[in-house]
Amino acid sequence: MIVLFCLPAQMPANDIAGARLLTYSEIADLYSHRSLPPTLELRLNSILSEPFVNNSTSRPIKPVIASSSLLGPYIRVAQWNIQRGLEFGALKAIFDSEASTEAVLDPAKFPLGSAARIELLEQAAMLRSSDVIVLNEVDWGLKRSDYRNIPEELAALLGWNYAFGVEFVELSPVQRSLNRSSADPTSVSEEVDVERYKGLHGTAILSKFPLENVRLIPFKNQVYDWFESEKKAVSLIEKGKRKLVGQVFLEKALKEVRRGGRTMLIAEIVDPRFPAGRATVVATHLESRTSPRKRKVQLNELLETIKPINTPVIVAGDMNTSTTDMTPTTIERELRKRFGKPEYWIKTGINQVLGFGMLHDAVSATLTFGRNHSDPTVRHVPFLMPNEERGFFSLLKSFRFADGGAFDFRGEASRSRGGRENTLANSNERDGKGFVTTFRLPRPVKFIGRFKLDWIFVKPVHLFDPSDYKGSYLFAPHFGRTLGAVNSLVPDRISDHAPLIVDLPLSEPSIEKRSSKK
């Protein structure tokens, strides 16, 4: 059952939100017991299926909409996985003003007049000029982010409306407090302020326009159990993998015990200047600890959910399109992955006949990773250069809404950043090797540790063929860009993900249409 929870425009969210939040003792019970008392289970389900919505910042004066000579009036949509809001001070500075951003800059690293300083300030200004912002990995009431209600604080800073959908109630800090004497190295002592701890983590939509018909829909296909699987003892192979990840990439891979799962946060932004008077924003965060095949299952569920929508649609979020299987590993699973697939036996036969052996496997693996890491849309070549993520994008491209509308897959020089012409270049920035990657581990080894995980997909007005270059460009994506320099504002980076932006014209742009497909 889908529960709709919207607050009247004049009612502050906190007046109602407090009554819905779980107490610390209730959160501790969520960790200690798989089966819950009916009352607590009902409260947990409310948290995980009813969005927190605040339209109290809506004003009778219409928001200012930007205009350019190429696009005419347009709105800008941004997406950013903010890595829990750990660097909230830097986030706040960027969204506040140029002066606030400059105050945080290290003058030694970014001297006055330097190209790096100019680029960072330009990108921060682009983010500030957004009209709608989708945020992933957003905290509310967790020690790691100073117990802040991050969506509310950022919305208040901008003077905007917001919707927040909870993916998970975080239980790891509770676990560590309950198990201080445990020999488990992940159960380190962690002082928790029981009065301030809310344990909420999820996705937010910030908007200068009113938000209507807001829904939070958990996926039925939860392809990883963040509660039971994370509480289990870690296998020897998985321990080794996590240790390797920690040593090579300086990435912590500790247990994350949680209640909840991946969701879709859906809201309509409303303004009479929009082509249909409104547009639908679909904010999501697909599963990371799974395979490309199972992520495609979640995508299919999302598409079937939004299929009836007849307004323009913006789907944005961290899709975790790593092209790799990140399911936690066991010996049994590794053997099944290697020997249980027919590809293994076919490749083994080829190797024996042609004498390629281990050299073939090594070259094939290197070529596969090299071509896939920054472009998960590349062709799937079975056995030789497989790309199991390709099906994700094939499904997205072939999908049609109930009104016949399609997602825009176009890419042309006159409408893309850097003059790139290829699949999705208008909506997501490409470079010479694929897409500009959006995720980077702290210390990647060349291209290893960099991926294109974050995306913005748009259903424009009157586009029925995703590659129709002669078709309408009304509310179609233009000049999609990845803003990687912004993250370097602070020494440890604001996030391991870079923000994205895309511009959507509210009338047919003056850019000349391409005569044919290339």
Side-chain angles (χ1 to χ4, degrees):
M1 179 177 67
I2 299 171
V3 183
L4 179 63
F5 182 82
C6 295
L7 299 181
Q10 71 275 12
M11 186 178 296
N14 281 344
D15 291 354
I16 290 180
R20 296 180 57 208
L21 300 179
L22 300 171
T23 66
Y24 185 79
S25 62
E26 288 175 322
I27 295 172
D29 285 342
L30 294 182
Y31 173 77
S32 301
H33 308 289
R34 174 64 178 181
S35 297
L36 303 175
T39 302
L40 180 55
E41 186 169 13
L42 185 64
R43 286 170 57 76
L44 174 62
N45 288 339
S46 171
I47 289 287
L48 297 173
S49 62
E50 299 175 11
F52 294 88
V53 184
N54 191 342
N55 274 314
S56 62
T57 55
S58 295
R59 300 178 177 87
I61 300 174
K62 292 180 182 178
V64 174
I65 288 179
S67 186
S68 73
S69 58
L70 288 176
L71 297 183
Y74 68 91
I75 65 168
R76 174 166 292 171
V77 176
Q79 182 274 332
W80 197 358
N81 180 324
I82 59 172
Q83 198 180 3
R84 303 161 178 171
L86 299 178
E87 293 289 349
F88 184 79
L91 284 171
K92 186 176 179 180
I94 285 174
F95 287 116
D96 184 30
S97 66
E98 181 170 318
S100 297
T101 306
E102 287 191 294
V104 179
L105 282 172
D106 179 350
K109 184 178 179 181
F110 299 98
L112 285 171
S114 65
R117 184 188 186 100
I118 292 170
E119 181 183 23
L120 191 152
L121 292 176
E122 285 180 348
Q123 291 191 5
M126 291 176 189
L127 267 179
R128 276 195 303 278
S129 65
S130 300
D131 303 286
V132 178
I133 304 171
V134 171
L135 299 176
N136 293 121
E137 291 197 17
V138 183
D139 277 359
W140 178 359
L142 283 151
K143 181 182 179 180
R144 65 195 181 196
S145 46
D146 200 26
Y147 300 103
R148 295 181 182 277
N149 182 341
I150 288 178
E152 182 169 88
E153 289 195 43
L154 287 179
L157 174 70
L158 294 165
W160 289 10
N161 310 300
Y162 77 88
F164 176 62
V166 178
E167 279 187 307
F168 299 106
V169 179
E170 298 283 355
L171 305 178
S172 292
V174 178
Q175 166 205 10
R176 292 166 190 160
S177 293
L178 293 175
N179 299 321
R180 289 181 186 176
S181 61
S182 171
D184 185 346
T186 66
S187 299
V188 295
S189 174
E190 180 169 340
E191 295 295 335
V192 174
D193 186 331
V194 298
E195 297 298 323
R196 302 170 68 195
Y197 191 86
K198 310 304 177 190
L200 305 183
H201 180 76
T203 297
I205 299 172
L206 311 183
S207 169
K208 65 168 58 173
F209 309 104
L211 296 169
E212 295 184 1
N213 194 22
V214 184
R215 294 163 285 160
L216 177 63
I217 307 175
F219 282 104
K220 295 176 182 177
N221 293 288
Q222 297 292 346
V223 292
Y224 183 73
D225 187 337
W226 285 88
F227 182 70
E228 290 290 355
S229 298
E230 289 293 291
K231 288 187 75 173
K232 289 178 182 177
V234 179
S235 72
L236 289 175
I237 287 183
E238 181 65 15
K239 284 181 179 178
K241 186 170 76 173
R242 294 187 183 195
K243 183 177 180 181
L244 178 64
V245 168
Q247 289 178 344
V248 176
F249 299 119
L250 302 182
E251 180 82 350
K252 293 182 180 178
L254 301 178
K255 291 183 179 181
E256 290 185 88
V257 183
R258 302 157 146 183
R259 290 271 193 167
R262 303 301 183 180
T263 64
M264 298 168 260
L265 178 63
I266 304 174
E268 293 177 4
I269 53 174
V270 181
D271 191 281
R273 293 165 289 182
F274 294 170
R278 60 185 60 229
T280 303
V281 179
V282 182
T284 193
H285 189 177
L286 301 187
E287 187 54 68
S288 56
R289 296 195 176 184
T290 192
S291 64
R293 178 179 60 82
K294 291 183 178 179
R295 266 192 298 274
K296 182 183 172 184
V297 171
Q298 284 191 328
L299 174 66
N300 186 65
E301 183 180 340
L302 182 151
L303 295 176
E304 289 303 310
T305 300
I306 66 175
K307 187 172 185 175
I309 298 174
N310 57 14
T311 64
V313 175
I314 304 152
V315 177
D318 179 355
M319 310 292 180
N320 276 308
T321 48
S322 62
T323 75
T324 57
D325 187 342
M326 296 300 291
T327 308
T329 306
T330 65
I331 291 176
E332 178 185 0
R333 190 169 187 280
E334 286 301 304
L335 290 174
R336 187 170 66 250
K337 280 168 59 179
R338 182 167 178 81
F339 299 110
K341 290 186 176 182
E343 295 96 307
Y344 170 77
W345 301 108
I346 295 172
K347 285 175 62 177
T348 299
I350 294 173
N351 292 345
Q352 291 295 327
V353 173
L354 300 181
F356 289 172
M358 293 181 65
L359 175 62
H360 168 268
D361 281 347
V363 172
S364 176
T366 301
L367 289 174
T368 297
F369 188 85
R371 72 193 283 269
N372 293 358
H373 82 282
S374 65
D375 191 353
T377 71
V378 294
R379 184 181 176 189
H380 171 64
V381 183
F383 317 132
L384 298 177
M385 290 185 289
N387 173 24
E388 295 187 9
E389 211 76 71
R390 170 74 175 213
F392 181 99
F393 295 92
S394 297
L395 174 62
L396 195 68
K397 187 173 184 179
S398 63
F399 174 75
R400 296 295 181 272
F401 288 83
D403 63 2
F407 285 106
D408 194 329
F409 266 63
R410 294 173 290 192
E412 52 196 303
S414 60
R415 302 175 194 268
S416 69
R417 163 75 177 168
R420 302 292 177 182
E421 292 198 348
N422 212 329
T423 299
L424 292 166
N426 292 0
S427 51
N428 295 269
E429 185 179 359
R430 281 184 168 271
D431 62 15
K433 300 178 181 179
F435 292 92
V436 176
T437 53
T438 61
F439 172 83
R440 178 173 70 86
L441 289 167
R443 290 188 181 178
V445 181
K446 293 186 177 179
F447 58 79
I448 300 176
R450 300 174 187 264
F451 297 94
K452 170 63 172 170
L453 303 184
D454 308 85
W455 300 86
I456 298 176
F457 304 117
V458 180
K459 172 204 177 192
V461 177
H462 307 311
L463 182 70
F464 306 105
D465 175 350
S467 300
D468 182 6
Y469 288 90
K470 295 183 179 180
S472 171
Y473 283 89
L474 178 61
F475 212 80
H478 285 74
F479 309 117
R481 185 165 180 179
T482 299
L483 307 178
V486 165
N487 269 330
S488 59
L489 180 62
V490 292
D492 292 330
R493 297 186 302 161
I494 297 175
S495 172
D496 47 11
H497 293 252
L500 312 178
I501 57 171
V502 70
D503 296 336
L504 309 174
L506 304 183
S507 59
E508 282 288 351
S510 61
I511 302 170
E512 184 178 353
K513 294 179 181 179
R514 205 165 78 182
S515 59
S516 62
K517 297 180 182 179
K518 292 186 178 181

